[in-house]
Each structure stands twice: as structure tokens, then as C-alpha cells.
Amino acid sequence: MFYRIKNNEIYDYADYEYADDCKYTDLCTMKHFDENKGNYILCDDQIVINPELDNILAQRRKEKFEKEFFHTSLGWIRRKVNMQNGSVKDFLSDILLSIKAGYELGRDIELITYKTPDYTKELTAEYVQSLQEVKFATNEFIEECLIQTVKDFGLNYGGNNGISN
């Protein structure tokens, strides 16, 4: 696969023998170029790996993690939880009220929480699992989860929630 570089723009270019006014770079070895153009920059008319790529990838990993988890005083909580029977439940809408009820009945409710990852590392399933910690539900934790539910719904917590008279 070849790309044409002209006026600091990158274009797909199937037949590179035509234009004399362009520089050409063979990109066959650069996997996923089209999906990750921000990973590459033009330098001296050559397509090279962006020197900021490590920071870019770390930011992408952080954003992905923060979509799949939410933060509490006990640590990060996975939004989609794999149950022992193989089903997947939404933590906030399917599980939280059971945790709250058990806590109010005086039960010790164990939770799997996660430490903040090192975003410079690939977030493999094994790595994320290594971040797990078992903690017990607290009143503060339950309140934080309820607040997170309201935030996810798009309302402000407290006040008039954007409703006017």
C-alpha cells in the first residue's frame, strides 16, 4: 500500500508512478495506518511514528478505562460485571440496590475494586485483573454509586436538577 504526500497531506495513492510532484512512502508494514493516522506524522516528507505516540496511547487507554469503570473512594468499579453464572450485569442498575439492601441489613458486602492502572502499559485482561482488590461496601461507597447513577443519567446531583418552575 502506498500513500501520496502532497502539501503536508496524506492521500491514498494506488499507482505511485504517475505524479512527479509527490514523495512516496511504502506503508505496508505500518499496521492499521488508516485507523490510527494520529499515530504518524510527516517528517522530512516521510511518514514516521509520532514521537508523542506513547502519550497518545496512554491517553486513549485512560479514556477507554474511564468508560468501562467509574471511580469511588474504594477504588475503580467495573460498570459491566461478569457474574458466576456467566451472565453480565450492569453494576449501577442491576446490582447496586441489592448491595445497598444487604448493607442496610448489616451484612458485609464484598466488592471487587480496581487500583488505577499504569496507562503506559497495555490494558490486557490479565493486567486489569492484577489490579483487583476485595473491599467491603460502605455507606460512603453506596452514596457515591447513587451519585454516579444520577451523573450517568445526565442530571446534576442536588439542587433542582435543571428543572425550573
Side-chain angles (χ1 to χ4, degrees):
M1 176 184 301
F2 291 87
Y3 284 79
R4 177 173 74 168
I5 303 169
K6 184 175 181 180
N7 301 327
N8 283 338
E9 295 289 329
I10 301 170
Y11 302 92
D12 291 339
Y13 203 69
D15 190 350
Y16 62 93
E17 295 183 57
Y18 287 9
D20 299 339
D21 60 341
C22 298
K23 301 281 185 182
Y24 303 95
T25 303
D26 181 355
L27 296 176
C28 336
T29 58
M30 292 186 188
K31 287 186 172 182
H32 311 296
F33 177 80
D34 289 325
E35 294 84 18
N36 298 291
K37 286 184 179 170
N39 294 358
Y40 306 97
I41 60 169
L42 292 174
C43 182
D44 297 326
D45 291 329
Q46 295 293 313
I47 298 172
V48 297
I49 294 176
N50 188 335
E52 293 295 316
L53 183 58
D54 289 340
N55 294 333
I56 291 168
L57 293 176
Q59 182 62 34
R60 287 179 190 162
R61 289 180 190 120
K62 182 177 191 259
E63 289 168 5
K64 183 178 186 292
F65 184 83
E66 289 177 356
K67 284 181 183 176
E68 296 175 9
F69 295 78
F70 64 95
H71 195 258
T72 71
S73 58
L74 298 181
W76 290 91
I77 302 295
R78 186 181 292 271
R79 289 178 173 276
K80 298 290 183 191
V81 179
N82 296 315
M83 306 302 286
Q84 287 181 348
N85 66 4
S87 65
V88 177
K89 302 278 185 180
D90 181 280
F91 186 88
L92 293 171
S93 63
D94 298 333
I95 300 172
L96 178 58
L97 291 180
S98 297
I99 291 171
K100 183 177 185 306
Y103 179 80
E104 288 172 351
L105 290 172
R107 307 271 197 257
D108 287 332
I109 308 296
E110 286 187 344
L111 304 163
I112 295 176
T113 66
Y114 295 80
K115 294 180 271 188
T116 301
D118 176 353
Y119 298 112
T120 63
K121 295 181 179 180
E122 194 68 37
L123 298 181
T124 63
E126 295 80 19
Y127 175 58
V128 172
Q129 187 174 1
S130 76
L131 301 173
Q132 289 181 349
E133 297 179 310
V134 175
K135 299 202 177 160
F136 292 97
T138 64
N139 193 52
E140 178 184 13
F141 169 78
I142 292 168
E143 185 172 324
E144 290 168 336
C145 291
L146 292 170
I147 291 169
Q148 185 65 50
T149 302
V150 172
K151 284 181 187 176
D152 288 354
F153 191 63
L155 299 175
N156 295 322
Y157 189 73
N160 66 4
N161 292 333
I163 300 171
S164 60
N165 295 333

